Amino acid sequence: MSFEELLDQAGGLGRFQIFQLVLFCITNILTYPHIVLENFTAATPDHRCWVQILDNDTVSGNVTRTLSQDALLRISIPLDSNLKPEKCRRFILPQWQLLHLNETVTNTAEPDTEPCVDGWVYDRSYFPSTIITEWDLVCESQSLKSVVQTLFMTGSLLGSLIYSPLSDRFGRKVVYQWCLLQLGIVDTAAAFAPTFLIYCILRFWAGLNIMTITINSFSLMSEWTISKRKSVGVVLMMSSYSIGQMFLGGLAFAIRNWHTLHLAVSVPLFVLLFPSRKLVESFRWLIVRNQLEKGVKELRRVAHINGKKNAEETLTIENVLDAVHTKPSIFQLFHAPKALNVIRCLFSFHFRFSSAVSFYGLVLNLQHLGSNIFMFQVLFGAITLTARFVSLWTLNYMGLRTNQILFSFLAGVSILVNTFLPQEMQILRVVLATLGIGCVSAASTGSTLHQIELLPTVFRSTLGGIISGFHRIGAIVAPLLMILLGYSLHLPWIIYGVITLLAGLVILPLPETRNQNHQLPDSPQDIENGGKGSRKTEQEDTSIKVTHF
């Protein structure tokens, strides 16, 4: 009896699958904000140098008392090229003569200025406290914000490479719960970090867990769901990330203090540990790992939850023997011609890398679009949510490959056009940015479905971790590219756009799985058999249901 038939006997879409999907969606809503948390906890407010005659309440004197704040600011802080007070320099001595000059005249006497040796004064009207104001990460230290984001993404890369093989060895459920617990602990601790170094270490540690939670939840969902419903489950889970974006935007609007915001998204993770105990280990993984008795036990447990009667009679060890594979080596993937489909999937790292660069380049730099980052966070969440379902709908007509190529092209064009629009065309720039992020999300949805269809169960977490690793590399590169703003204001965005345009080309060698009689492969042998498995029952069945998208 094939895996698909075993799952159908236990209930391929019943109460258990619904519970599992709801739990994973809620978890995603609460875990995704940890990825883009620095949009708000590391928001950079307007700032200027601290100056004694303006900011020291103990300074007295008739002259300073009679002057307005604007006048004191004018003689203390030079103007930049936009005739606004400099953020990182001040006059060494008050420039009283400027009070008698036309205000449009700028001070070009560089020798009269110095860095902000006494600290900064911040505009706290939007954010009373961020890690920027906590540790003065401005001016010469402004790149440290990108360092925090890069460390988190680096942690997510290493985490996917470390925990994914452990998931294939010890099971999806136990590693999923362990990473969920770690994420709650370290990001709760990050809210109380006494120094910037400790904060960076804790955020790196948090990153180690985030991708494993994502990969294992997708593995458990796909391996407990019948093929024809799998695409809907994937899209719903990916849509929960979009809801998480909107949730973070609303939460950050209500909670402006970075310590409290950190706690608000971290403490609820401990509550999720209790319902996660009701999850069931993947029976596909158990059977492939030759744990027959436990696999049958879990199948019967799910059948009981789904209200299936006579499960003990139909779900027996004898019936699952045909589904058992000899434990293969991952190197077998390189020997058989059709198994090169998996190798091609690994070579599609460029697509995952490129989509991550453009996606995180947009969502991690909301302040480059405008001042209302709360609205942009919610707007991006809404557009990505819509894009997930648009992608699901278009898959019915164009297939997985065309879907990824088309949306990658549209995303690249949107980013490049937006790069050269003047700042005054704010509405059009926001429209193109949301279009770009929506197209990247739609392409990523097709890529995730394609990946599940191509990877065998026995190596799904390992290979998924490797492919996700390329995605994480792109996420690491995205904030680092913003350092190039010091050379050109357009250069990072040009790179985002070009790399997204090229991303779709690597999809061409991959096989199309839509309407190809393709069931979820469980071993390298299944890939050789066109994804339909080598079981006698399947060979005799001429009316096998196909995967619908």
Side-chain angles (χ1 to χ4, degrees):
M1 186 177 291
S2 68
F3 279 132
E4 194 76 8
E5 291 170 325
L6 289 171
L7 184 56
D8 188 58
Q9 291 291 325
L13 188 64
R15 287 192 295 268
F16 169 75
Q17 282 81 7
I18 293 174
F19 160 77
Q20 182 180 243
L21 182 60
V22 171
L23 176 61
F24 287 149
C25 287
I26 293 174
T27 303
N28 290 342
I29 291 172
L30 293 176
T31 55
Y32 185 84
H34 291 259
I35 300 176
V36 292
L37 199 54
E38 271 77 29
N39 272 342
F40 303 98
T41 61
T44 304
D46 287 335
H47 54 276
R48 60 169 175 80
C49 293
W50 185 95
V51 291
Q52 187 174 14
I53 64 171
L54 186 60
D55 302 307
N56 192 342
D57 294 334
T58 62
V59 174
S60 60
N62 293 330
V63 175
T64 57
R65 289 177 180 176
T66 57
L67 294 177
S68 66
Q69 289 286 102
D70 289 340
L72 291 174
L73 183 64
R74 183 70 183 91
I75 65 174
S76 304
I77 305 294
L79 301 180
D80 60 17
S81 58
N82 295 319
L83 301 182
K84 293 182 179 181
E86 281 275 5
K87 295 181 178 181
C88 300
R89 300 194 69 82
R90 69 180 187 181
F91 291 124
I92 297 176
L93 297 173
Q95 303 296 303
W96 301 105
Q97 72 277 8
L98 295 178
L99 295 176
H100 307 290
L101 298 177
N102 190 308
E103 292 186 0
T104 60
V105 177
T106 60
N107 190 315
T108 59
E110 185 65 24
D112 293 334
T113 65
E114 64 180 357
C116 302
V117 294
D118 295 319
W120 290 263
V121 175
Y122 298 97
D123 178 7
R124 300 182 185 271
S125 57
Y126 270 94
F127 295 98
S129 176
T130 69
I131 67 170
I132 303 297
T133 62
E134 183 98 2
W135 293 300
D136 289 331
L137 306 182
V138 293
C139 298
E140 294 85 357
S141 302
Q142 63 180 345
S143 62
L144 293 179
K145 174 182 176 179
S146 296
V147 170
V148 177
Q149 295 171 327
T150 301
L151 283 173
F152 181 88
M153 297 303 180
T154 303
S156 67
L157 168 62
L158 294 178
S160 64
L161 297 178
I162 293 171
Y163 286 118
S164 294
L166 294 178
S167 299
D168 278 334
R169 180 166 183 174
F170 298 107
R172 284 83 158 100
K173 177 183 173 181
V174 63
V175 176
Y176 171 86
Q177 291 175 316
W178 171 243
C179 289
L180 189 63
L181 174 62
Q182 282 194 101
L183 180 62
I185 291 173
V186 297
D187 257 352
T188 298
F192 304 99
T195 65
F196 179 66
L197 177 60
I198 293 177
Y199 178 82
C200 288
I201 293 172
L202 290 171
R203 286 295 287 163
F204 172 80
W205 192 353
L208 287 172
N209 305 283
I210 197 77
M211 282 311 299
T212 306
I213 295 172
T214 299
I215 294 171
N216 283 15
S217 61
F218 273 103
S219 293
L220 284 170
M221 186 282 301
S222 62
E223 291 168 9
W224 275 114
T225 306
I226 56 177
S227 295
K228 64 181 179 180
R229 301 297 183 191
K230 194 176 288 89
S231 59
V232 176
V234 169
V235 172
L236 287 175
M237 286 183 62
M238 296 190 73
S239 298
S240 64
Y241 296 139
S242 303
I243 298 174
Q245 280 186 279
M246 293 186 285
F247 169 73
L248 177 61
L251 191 65
F253 181 79
I255 303 174
R256 305 296 179 91
N257 184 283
W258 79 269
H259 302 278
T260 309
L261 183 60
H262 243 288
L263 291 174
V265 298
S266 301
V267 173
L269 297 180
F270 296 110
V271 179
L272 291 175
L273 290 171
F274 294 100
S276 69
R277 297 174 60 187
K278 300 291 185 181
L279 293 173
V280 179
E281 184 57 82
S282 167
F283 84 98
R284 291 177 182 263
W285 177 83
L286 289 169
I287 294 175
V288 168
R289 299 288 297 189
N290 290 326
Q291 300 183 38
L292 299 183
E293 292 184 1
K294 191 172 182 180
V296 171
K297 179 181 178 181
E298 301 291 41
L299 270 173
R300 290 176 177 176
R301 179 182 171 189
V302 170
H304 176 73
I305 296 173
N306 288 338
K308 292 288 185 176
K309 299 180 179 180
N310 303 321
E312 293 187 2
E313 298 178 3
T314 57
L315 300 176
T316 63
I317 292 180
E318 291 74 16
N319 286 338
V320 303
L321 284 176
D322 287 338
V324 177
H325 294 279
T326 301
K327 180 184 175 182
S329 166
I330 194 170
F331 296 104
Q332 291 182 18
L333 295 171
F334 295 87
H335 296 312
K338 289 187 179 180
L340 288 176
N341 292 337
V342 177
I343 309 305
R344 294 191 190 107
C345 190
L346 293 179
F347 281 123
S348 69
F349 76 91
H350 183 269
F351 180 85
R352 301 303 300 269
F353 170 86
S354 302
S355 62
V357 169
S358 54
F359 182 84
Y360 289 106
L362 290 169
V363 301
L364 293 178
N365 296 287
L366 298 181
Q367 284 191 302
H368 287 273
L369 296 176
S371 59
N372 196 343
I373 58 177
F374 309 104
M375 182 192 71
F376 291 137
Q377 185 71 57
V378 174
L379 182 62
F380 276 16
I383 197 67
T384 56
L385 177 64
T386 304
R388 308 291 187 195
F389 289 97
V390 170
S391 179
L392 180 63
W393 176 69
T394 56
L395 286 172
N396 287 314
Y397 300 97
M398 64 178 64
L400 287 160
R401 286 190 304 180
T402 307
N403 173 278
Q404 295 169 72
I405 294 170
L406 173 63
F407 285 116
S408 295
F409 176 78
L410 292 176
V413 171
S414 299
I415 294 172
L416 288 175
V417 172
N418 201 8
T419 300
F420 298 101
L421 285 179
Q423 292 289 334
E424 293 75 19
M425 303 179 68
Q426 184 66 24
I427 296 179
L428 183 58
R429 294 183 75 247
V430 172
V431 169
L432 286 174
T434 53
L435 176 63
I437 199 71
C439 289
V440 172
S441 299
S444 297
T445 301
S447 176
T448 301
L449 290 168
H450 212 179
Q451 176 180 321
I452 291 176
E453 291 286 333
L454 291 173
L455 302 184
T457 298
V458 68
F459 299 128
R460 185 164 291 120
S461 285
T462 299
L463 296 177
I466 295 172
I467 295 175
S468 178
F470 293 123
H471 184 83
R472 292 296 96 195
I473 293 173
I476 293 170
V477 171
L480 287 179
L481 287 176
M482 298 309 295
I483 298 176
L484 298 176
L485 287 173
Y487 301 95
S488 171
L489 294 178
H490 298 311
L491 186 56
W493 303 102
I494 293 174
I495 296 175
Y496 292 150
V498 171
I499 205 170
T500 307
L501 278 175
L502 298 176
L505 298 180
V506 298
I507 302 301
L508 292 173
L510 297 180
E512 176 59 65
T513 58
R514 184 178 71 96
N515 291 336
Q516 300 296 315
N517 292 337
H518 187 88
Q519 296 183 17
L520 197 65
D522 297 301
S523 70
Q525 290 77 18
D526 288 349
I527 300 175
E528 284 302 295
N529 295 326
K532 294 181 285 186
S534 58
R535 293 103 189 171
K536 185 182 297 185
T537 53
E538 288 181 307
Q539 294 171 356
E540 295 174 353
D541 187 0
T542 58
S543 59
I544 297 176
K545 295 181 180 180
V546 300
T547 302
H548 294 290
F549 293 97

